[in-house]
């Protein structure tokens, strides 16, 4: 038992040699051709959304180690070649080209941020290399083509979940929105929220915007404060959300902030501090889930990384496992066979829920609503599609 764990660790070190610098690739090198199945990974290991890439990678790595320890796939071991895109879409596109042309990968795992997945997907599609996004939720990502999949729900659902939660659970009748107009994710989620919130009878009193580079949100927040909303929907990524929360409290705004999966990072608490307390977000998974599947996953992840897995890690793990399962069912890494096997995924028992790929190559799965409490996320409720 001990030896095999040690071996697995050694293998991992071999497979996933460090690579965080621009353009560097990770590969073990020197192994005879054909002895492994090579899978590409593109993520943000540095930059504004670094925890997205790091957590996702840890999930993918854990899945890969477990698979290899259990004998690998089709008689081969799986090797992950990863590239850091620094949170930039141009880098994500470059990495995708390299993975396909240089490393001849059988499939690609990534990205997290929808805008970056949208930069990668046309390249994967035109080369007919299956791509599985762990957690990009913008609907347009998988619409790019029949080789593009995801193992998460999409924003029309996530937005509706939070709109209903605001109106029905929080009884907020007036909400303001503060969206990142540079991110497809944020724009799509803000629109989805608006549509459902109006339908159920709520009023959007203000719809303000910012972009990723902004650090001062006081003008938008001052405009919002004047309208006295009962909640503010901020469907952004954690770095900006943390700052927005602080500045909102500095301006005396007491209304809770609401958001989506983009808030999911331990950095949210570091940046936002007390200001994020009492806010709510929708997400893919909660570590409070008592099921054996989830609790065992948490235990194994904690042993490997000394942390409780966040939603990104869980989605990364599931994306890799769904891909491995499809390769197994396809019996080969032939692109078309693998594509068909991914499309046929049914009720795969993921740690983030049962995964069935629908006819649009999306996963239909429940969402959880979490509350920011005592410097962490606590489970509030689950909502099914
Ligand atoms: N859903 C976000 C997007 O599409 C990415 C994300 C997923 C961020 C999960 C955090 C957690 O851009």
């Amino acid at each position: 038992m001990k030896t095999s764990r040690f071996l697995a660790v050694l293998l991992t070190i071999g497979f996933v040699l460090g690579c965080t610098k621009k353009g560097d690739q990770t590969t073990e090198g020197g192994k005879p051709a054909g002895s492994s199945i090579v899978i590409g990974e593109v993520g943000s290991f540095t930059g504004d959304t670094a925890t997205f890439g790091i957590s996702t990678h840890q999930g993918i790595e854990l899945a890969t180690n477990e698979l290899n320890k259990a004998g690998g796939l089709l008689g081969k071991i799986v090797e992950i070649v990863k590239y850091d895109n620094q949170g930039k879409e141009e880098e994500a596109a470059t990495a995708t080209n390299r993975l396909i042309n240089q490393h001849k990968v059988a499939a690609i795992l990534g990205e997290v941020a929808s805008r970056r997945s949208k930069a990668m997907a046309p390249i994967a599609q035109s080369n007919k290399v299956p791509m599985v996004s762990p957690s990009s939720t913008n609907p347009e990502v998988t619409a790019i083509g029949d080789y593009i999949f995801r193992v998460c729900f999409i924003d029309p659902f996530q937005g509706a979940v939070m709109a209903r939660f605001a109106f029905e659970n929080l009884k907020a009748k007036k909400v303001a929105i503060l969206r990142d107009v540079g991110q497809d994710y944020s724009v799509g989620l803000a629109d989805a929220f608006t549509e459902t919130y109006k339908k159920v009878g709520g009023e959007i009193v203000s719809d303000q915007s910012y972009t990723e580079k902004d650090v001062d949100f006081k003008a938008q927040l001052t405009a919002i404060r004047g309208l006295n909303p009962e909640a503010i929907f901020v469907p952004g990524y954690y770095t900006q959300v943390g700052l927005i929360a602080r500045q909102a409290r500095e301006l005396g705004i007491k209304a809770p902030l609401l958001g989506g999966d983009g808030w999911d990072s331990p950095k949210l608490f570091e940046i936002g501090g007390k200001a994020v307390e009492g806010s709510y977000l929708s997400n893919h998974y909660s570590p409070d889930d008592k099921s054996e599947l989830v609790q065992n996953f948490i235990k194994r992840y904690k042993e490997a990384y000394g942390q409780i897995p966040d939603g990104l890690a869980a989605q990364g793990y599931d994306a890799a496992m769904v891909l491995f399962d499809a390769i197994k069912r396809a019996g080969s890494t032939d692109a078309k066979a693998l594509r068909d096997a991914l499309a046929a995924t049914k009720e795969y028992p993921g740690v983030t829920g049962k995964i069935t790929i629908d006819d649009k190559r999306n996963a239909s799965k429940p969402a959880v609503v979490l509350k920011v409490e005592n410097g962490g996320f606590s489970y509030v409720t689950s909502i099914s599609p």
Side-chain angles (χ1 to χ4, degrees):
M1 189 61 204
K2 266 216 180 98
T3 333
S4 64
R5 182 174 300 162
F6 178 66
L7 268 179
V9 169
L10 270 190
L11 283 172
T12 319
I13 295 169
F15 298 158
V16 196
L17 279 178
C19 131
T20 44
K21 291 243 298 295
K22 169 179 174 178
D24 282 357
Q25 92 269 5
T26 311
T27 182
E28 87 287 20
K31 241 180 342 81
S35 64
S36 60
I37 292 174
V38 185
I39 309 280
E41 179 193 348
V42 182
S44 53
F45 303 107
T46 54
D48 250 13
T49 53
T51 69
F52 290 174
I54 294 166
S55 289
T56 302
H57 178 69
Q58 289 178 175
I60 291 173
E61 185 179 58
L62 182 66
T64 309
N65 290 345
E66 290 178 358
L67 176 93
N68 285 335
K69 208 165 114 183
L73 260 187
L74 315 177
K76 300 177 179 189
I77 50 148
V78 167
E79 177 191 341
I80 303 290
V81 179
K82 73 174 162 84
Y83 274 94
D84 176 21
N85 59 35
Q86 308 163 287
K88 298 176 185 160
E89 67 223 272
E90 318 81 69
E91 295 294 333
T94 305
T96 307
N97 274 314
R98 290 220 179 112
L99 288 171
I100 295 171
N101 299 319
Q102 215 167 300
H103 301 279
K104 315 278 182 221
V105 296
I108 295 174
L109 292 167
E111 231 269 3
V112 167
S114 293
R115 194 176 72 183
R116 297 194 287 270
S117 283
K118 281 176 71 179
M120 294 168 59
I123 303 167
Q125 178 65 29
S126 66
N127 286 282
K128 297 206 185 325
V129 173
M131 168 175 148
V132 182
S133 167
S135 35
S136 283
T137 45
N138 186 278
E140 289 162 24
V141 171
T142 48
I144 287 169
D146 61 349
Y147 277 78
I148 316 301
F149 297 85
R150 77 180 106 217
V151 295
C152 55
F153 53 65
I154 57 174
D155 288 330
F157 169 63
Q158 180 171 207
V161 163
M162 283 317 279
R164 286 187 182 278
F165 183 79
F167 194 81
E168 287 158 15
N169 298 54
L170 299 181
K171 314 262 178 255
K173 306 287 180 271
K174 292 192 320 186
V175 163
I177 294 178
L178 182 48
R179 62 170 85 198
D180 180 346
V181 284
Q183 292 290 350
D184 297 287
Y185 158 71
S186 189
V187 171
L189 189 49
D191 289 346
F193 180 95
T194 302
E195 197 190 317
T196 302
Y197 192 65
K198 282 184 177 162
K199 211 182 282 168
V200 295
E203 186 194 349
I204 307 286
V205 294
S206 177
D207 191 336
Q208 301 280 328
S209 51
Y210 66 93
T211 61
E212 182 178 27
K213 300 273 174 290
D214 293 346
V215 286
D216 185 347
F217 307 91
K218 293 236 166 88
Q220 296 94 315
L221 289 167
T222 303
I224 287 172
R225 184 181 60 183
L227 296 160
N228 225 357
E230 291 152 89
I232 308 174
F233 188 55
V234 194
Y237 295 140
Y238 63 88
T239 299
Q240 290 77 28
V241 171
L243 293 174
I244 288 168
R246 276 185 181 276
Q247 292 172 25
R249 302 310 172 220
E250 275 163 37
L251 289 171
I253 295 174
K254 301 230 161 48
L257 305 186
L258 312 176
D261 54 353
W263 287 25
D264 189 3
S265 171
K267 291 265 179 218
L268 180 75
F269 315 109
E270 267 173 48
I271 302 167
K274 275 204 160 49
V276 286
E277 290 280 316
S279 300
Y280 296 89
L281 67 148
S282 48
N283 207 352
H284 304 270
Y285 134 104
S286 165
D288 294 338
D289 186 328
K290 291 286 166 271
S291 80
E292 222 182 289
L293 186 73
V294 172
Q295 290 307 317
N296 276 336
F297 165 70
I298 294 174
K299 191 164 160 268
R300 300 193 310 276
Y301 188 95
K302 257 172 109 177
E303 270 170 27
Y305 304 106
Q307 303 159 344
I308 291 184
D310 59 13
L312 282 309
Q315 288 289 131
Y317 184 85
D318 279 353
M321 284 303 197
V322 163
L323 177 61
F324 301 156
D325 176 65
I327 294 174
K328 205 181 296 164
R329 282 185 287 107
S332 94
T333 51
D334 169 74
K336 187 160 180 310
L338 178 51
R339 194 217 75 87
D340 291 345
L342 277 167
T345 302
K346 287 230 158 38
E347 307 253 310
Y348 181 87
V351 292
T352 59
K354 279 213 172 70
I355 300 170
T356 295
I357 300 294
D358 68 18
D359 57 351
K360 295 201 166 88
R361 298 170 298 283
N362 301 323
S364 156
K365 284 157 70 182
V368 293
V369 176
L370 307 176
K371 183 176 189 181
V372 183
E373 241 169 5
N374 308 318
F377 297 126
S378 59
Y379 174 82
V380 178
T381 182
S382 299
I383 296 169
S384 289

